[in-house]
Amino acid sequence: MAGRWTQFGLYGANGVPGWVALGREMDRQVTGIKSPVDTKRGLAARLRYLDSPAGREAMARAGITTRPRTIAAWTAGTRRPLPVNRQRIDEAYWDLRRRNLAIDWQRRLARTGTRIEIHPVDQRNVTRGRARDLTVRRVTVRGYRIWDDIIAAWINEDGEMLDIVWDEIITDLGSDYDSYSHVSSIGFGI
Amino acid sequence: MSPDQDPDALFAAVDALLAQPRDLPAPEERLRLREAAHLSRPELASVLQVAPGTIAGWETGRTEPQGTTRAAYARLLDGLAARYPAPSPGSPATGPQTATDAPSDTTPPHASEPPTPTPAPAEPMPAPVPVRDPDRLPDGAVVTATPEPCVLCGQPTPYRAAGRPQHLGGFCAPNTGGAGAVAVGAANPADADAPPAANGSATVAAGSPGAAGPARRAGQRREDTGGLIARNVAAALEDNGGDVDAALAALIKRAIPDGMALLNSTRVGSTYDFTNYVDTDAIPILKKPSRDGADLIWEGRPKWRNQQVEAGPARTVTALDVNGAYLSALKTHLPIGTLRHNPDSTYDRKRSGVYLIDPPEWAHEDLPNPLGSREEPGPLWVTDPTLRLLNRLSGPKYRLCAAPVIHESWTSGSSEALLERFRRELATARDTALQDGDRVTLEYVKAMYSKFISTIGESSANREMRRPDWMHIIRSQAFTNLWLKAWKAHQAGLTLVRMMGTDELHVTGGDWRTVFTEGRRLTDMKLKSEYTIGRGGDG
């Protein structure tokens, strides 16, 4: 992590590391089936989404070890999965959904770029005289190299990689970039 | 009324008027000159003592400066034109750079009909050559006199160079070739008749403004008015080969990104830099409980019926509609930055956001509750416009209810001007479209503002902005505006029958036209329908 902010929060600043905010912002933009997995509709929709080689892989990753015939019966609606498996189906669905969205995002973000709005740390409770003069900053992030890394790190939940990428992003902010190693939140459109 | 005849005559008259003071360059040129000089609109506006929006009007061609302001603006533009000539090679502006050696190798662009290889000036009438420095009075001020045709382009100019009328620095506004050609012909009377072939086209071009000119120019003028909006509409119509319905469908499809682009274009040079995103995770009351659940904000949507009237004798009720209610509601106090929590009951009118209040008692059966039809008792989260209205109604002027008690709030410093330029752009385009009967622009503008408001919350249709607080505040403002309209009708002696939706007001017991103007403009009310209510035939 960049910056001289070695003991973050010592004087009362409130925020999260930039890479955490980056991951949260991407999580926030994941859309998908709205019905919960416990409803018939929500379950059927998820199983239909997972009815593909990639979907079966996702189910395997989520720890569903039942025979293919059973899964086919769930999809057909003739049998209903146990609660524990419904939970795994839900996990597998969101996992696959994120991966599929990521493919599209990667292409779009790399090509057109996006403007990231960085909200600095909350300094209301900072000891007098210790507060920094921080404003909302915006930086455009564009290019295959950086977005490939961001998306891959986000999919694999690789915090270290996201952190490295975040440092790269804030370097573009200029000399006070290390004030933005921690932020209160960030926002961007995909 | 014969709609075929009158507009033409009108436009002809207007064009005749416009043709008189031709000392100003075209709107695009005005914009280019200001930008070339690195002057902002507010800077220029303060110099000319007008509003920045007025400058914008001049630069889009929506309006024209008048009187002394026009003269001052003309002088400024001429000065700038001398300093920043137009870059296009064919325009007369290329002259000034080579003003000193012009007589030897450059012939003035407009005098190109018969090549004049003899650089030697012809006796009293030298070949018009751009002179860089205008004539000046002893005190340094530029000489001005009665506008006369410029020797270069033929457009009237008050300035003199080497004793002859010429635009400052030899720069002439890029104008229709026809006018220029004719003027040059007039300046060189010897050439006027000599080459009929070369002058033929010029005569045709110059003759056309009289016949087809007004209509074409009027159309052009209108095209300039809305800037981005008009350009988009024109492009969509062209793409769809003039098919109005197809163009409209295409425009409505892209109304959200276009609206955001318009918003961003109006942000340039603005005083306050608002944030496009709020962290809804950090503001519990804006956080939705589930993916498609509603947050805790009460917008005060009106849904009110006058029980007394409905139980009373039969009467005719007029249903009125507010025009563009959401468009007008864009003018409201909007929080600029991230909302901050304030756990006590203080109220600062320079801030805006959402407030947890105890709703005051409402004891008026003939007036709708400004809080809408809230059925749950107890404290509720309201937005800034609702709170402002309640505070107003509790004040000495109204005395309609007790003051609301604030428990806590989430607010940020606010400004009423954040969306003002955006709103004005849309409102102007709407007004123009109404005048012209331009259904495409009208629907497009409507889609832009309504979709803007409905998607600036947490919508996957608009990722460029996430301000659910704004969405709630703008809607509440629309409801507040409607309540104030209802109050106006009530004060004028009308009986309120219903107030519902965003923009519907039903009244009876008098002539509503004495209270509101009927029409489709934003300040007017639209007559929706008339119907009968109450228990009929009770005598």
Side-chain angles (χ1 to χ4, degrees):
Chain A
M1 177 174 290
R4 302 181 291 266
W5 228 333
T6 44
Q7 277 179 287
F8 181 73
L10 183 65
Y11 296 110
N14 206 346
V16 292
W19 66 269
V20 174
L22 181 61
R24 280 186 193 170
E25 179 63 17
M26 296 183 66
D27 287 340
R28 212 198 307 259
Q29 312 221 18
V30 175
T31 53
I33 297 165
K34 287 181 176 176
S35 310
V37 73
D38 291 324
T39 60
K40 199 176 168 188
R41 181 192 173 92
L43 179 65
R46 279 168 179 75
L47 285 167
R48 194 160 54 247
Y49 192 82
L50 292 167
D51 189 13
S52 67
R56 283 183 277 280
E57 269 176 41
M59 283 201 268
R61 272 199 304 274
I64 295 173
T65 50
T66 46
R67 286 177 303 166
R69 248 175 49 198
T70 319
I71 295 177
W74 290 346
T75 311
T78 47
R79 286 172 67 181
R80 192 171 160 76
L82 292 171
V84 59
N85 276 335
R86 285 209 294 272
Q87 212 47 53
R88 286 175 186 155
I89 287 170
D90 193 37
E91 279 167 30
Y93 166 72
W94 287 114
D95 179 37
L96 182 64
R97 177 74 187 149
R98 280 159 62 102
R99 280 164 197 270
N100 287 346
L101 281 174
I103 294 168
D104 185 35
W105 291 359
Q106 194 169 2
R107 199 181 53 231
R108 263 193 293 167
L109 290 169
R111 202 176 50 228
T112 60
T114 190
R115 207 161 159 76
I116 297 186
E117 190 173 271
I118 306 172
H119 298 207
V121 291
D122 180 3
Q123 299 191 88
R124 275 175 303 171
N125 301 324
V126 171
T127 322
R128 275 183 76 87
R130 294 288 181 179
R132 303 179 183 198
D133 190 11
L134 298 178
T135 57
V136 171
R137 300 292 296 269
R138 296 187 181 85
V139 60
T140 302
V141 181
R142 181 185 289 131
Y144 282 95
R145 201 179 49 76
I146 193 158
W147 277 112
D148 287 357
D149 287 352
I150 295 175
I151 299 280
W154 177 64
I155 286 290
N156 301 324
E157 298 182 351
D158 180 355
E160 274 175 39
M161 189 65 195
L162 265 188
D163 191 10
I164 291 169
V165 181
W166 180 251
D167 283 353
E168 207 171 309
I169 292 173
I170 57 176
T171 318
D172 286 350
L173 289 174
S175 54
D176 61 344
Y177 72 92
D178 59 351
S179 306
Y180 296 90
S181 57
H182 286 75
V183 299
S184 62
S185 68
I186 70 167
F188 60 88
I190 290 179
Chain B
M1 286 284 274
S2 62
D4 298 327
Q5 291 289 327
D6 287 345
D8 281 351
L10 272 175
F11 282 132
V14 168
D15 275 297
L17 266 182
L18 283 172
Q20 280 171 1
R22 292 301 283 266
D23 50 336
L24 285 184
E28 311 86 67
E29 183 59 18
R30 298 170 195 170
L31 176 65
R32 187 192 71 77
L33 286 172
R34 180 177 58 73
E35 283 176 346
H38 298 288
L39 279 169
S40 71
R41 273 185 187 143
E43 280 168 4
L44 183 54
S46 68
V47 170
L48 293 174
Q49 297 172 12
V50 295
T54 313
I55 305 276
W58 298 345
E59 288 175 355
T60 52
R62 194 175 67 232
T63 55
E64 286 289 329
Q66 304 296 334
T68 48
T69 317
R70 184 185 179 93
Y73 190 48
R75 178 182 289 201
L76 175 82
L77 288 178
D78 275 355
L80 290 180
R83 230 177 280 170
Y84 308 102
S88 62
S91 81
T94 47
Q97 290 99 320
T98 56
T100 45
D101 54 353
S104 57
D105 54 28
T106 54
T107 46
H110 279 312
S112 55
E113 311 95 88
T116 48
T118 48
E123 331 68 69
M125 197 58 81
V129 159
V131 179
R132 192 188 188 89
D133 294 314
D135 294 354
R136 290 176 187 280
L137 294 168
D139 64 339
V142 179
V143 173
T144 54
T146 342
E148 281 179 40
C150 167
V151 291
L152 297 175
C153 68
Q155 301 296 318
T157 174
Y159 304 108
R160 297 289 181 274
R164 297 197 300 152
Q166 187 203 286
H167 281 105
L168 279 184
F171 176 82
C172 311
N175 222 310
T176 52
V182 165
V184 170
N188 296 350
D191 301 330
D193 307 318
N199 253 5
S201 62
T203 323
V204 170
S208 61
R216 183 182 55 80
R217 247 177 284 145
Q220 244 174 13
R221 196 159 296 281
R222 215 155 301 145
E223 213 170 80
D224 293 337
T225 51
L228 190 72
I229 300 171
R231 274 204 304 279
N232 288 345
V233 170
L237 281 171
E238 201 179 315
D239 289 347
N240 291 282
D243 182 348
V244 170
D245 288 323
L248 185 54
L251 284 170
I252 286 178
K253 216 169 191 175
R254 42 182 276 205
I256 297 173
D258 283 358
M260 292 307 294
L262 180 65
L263 174 66
N264 288 333
S265 77
T266 58
R267 284 177 77 169
V268 178
S270 55
T271 315
Y272 296 109
D273 188 19
F274 57 82
T275 55
N276 277 21
Y277 299 92
V278 291
D279 184 11
T280 43
D281 293 335
I283 306 172
I285 46 144
L286 287 179
K287 200 167 159 53
K288 291 182 173 182
S290 64
R291 284 189 162 261
D292 54 351
D295 57 26
L296 292 171
I297 313 293
W298 179 254
E299 291 173 351
R301 186 177 290 270
K303 190 178 159 194
W304 175 83
R305 291 155 166 265
N306 191 333
Q307 308 283 352
Q308 292 168 333
V309 173
E310 291 194 356
R315 1 178 27 172
T316 306
V317 176
T318 314
L320 299 174
D321 239 10
V322 181
N323 296 309
Y326 278 143
L327 178 53
S328 303
L330 292 177
K331 188 173 182 118
T332 179
H333 296 269
L334 289 168
I336 298 166
T338 302
L339 304 186
R340 300 284 185 207
H341 188 230
N342 182 0
D344 54 43
S345 63
T346 52
Y347 173 69
D348 181 353
R349 49 190 286 276
K350 288 191 175 153
R351 298 177 73 80
S352 172
V354 288
Y355 305 81
L356 182 67
I357 62 160
D358 271 337
E361 194 69 31
W362 189 258
H364 310 277
E365 292 216 334
D366 52 346
L367 274 174
N369 188 335
L371 277 173
S373 59
R374 174 87 175 175
E375 281 167 6
E376 276 176 60
L380 72 167
W381 283 97
V382 298
T383 61
D384 183 73
T386 316
L387 183 67
R388 273 174 210 263
L389 179 63
L390 287 173
N391 279 338
R392 214 166 135 182
L393 300 189
S394 66
K397 200 176 154 196
Y398 293 82
R399 292 195 188 286
L400 288 170
C401 62
V405 181
I406 302 173
H407 295 298
E408 54 178 308
S409 61
W410 284 86
T411 57
S412 167
S414 73
S415 165
E416 211 173 2
L418 292 188
L419 295 179
E420 185 51 14
R421 282 168 73 188
F422 177 60
R423 186 192 69 84
R424 250 187 248 163
E425 286 280 337
L426 290 167
T428 313
R430 185 182 182 277
D431 280 349
T432 318
L434 277 177
Q435 278 170 19
D436 298 354
D438 178 358
R439 186 171 64 91
V440 181
T441 306
L442 198 61
E443 292 293 317
Y444 178 48
V445 164
K446 185 174 180 179
M448 265 211 257
Y449 70 76
S450 58
K451 289 185 179 195
F452 172 77
I453 294 167
S454 62
T455 61
I456 55 172
E458 287 181 274
S459 167
S460 55
N462 186 357
R463 300 281 201 195
E464 286 179 64
M465 198 155 189
R466 186 173 58 242
R467 293 296 307 235
D469 49 341
W470 281 25
M471 181 187 69
H472 293 306
I473 287 173
I474 293 170
R475 286 203 193 127
S476 300
Q477 184 64 54
F479 307 150
T480 301
N481 292 348
L482 181 61
W483 193 93
L484 289 169
K485 282 214 152 78
W487 172 253
K488 188 179 172 192
H490 177 80
Q491 288 301 93
L494 298 182
T495 307
L496 304 176
V497 181
R498 281 183 198 173
M499 187 171 106
M500 52 209 256
T502 312
D503 53 4
E504 258 190 69
L505 186 63
H506 298 201
V507 295
T508 186
D511 183 11
W512 64 273
R513 286 183 179 84
T514 58
V515 188
F516 304 110
T517 340
E518 185 175 7
R520 294 196 64 194
R521 287 176 309 157
L522 289 173
T523 44
D524 299 339
M525 289 289 255
K526 190 171 69 185
L527 175 63
K528 200 174 182 193
S529 62
E530 285 188 338
Y531 61 94
T532 313
I533 199 173
R535 299 172 200 285
D538 61 344

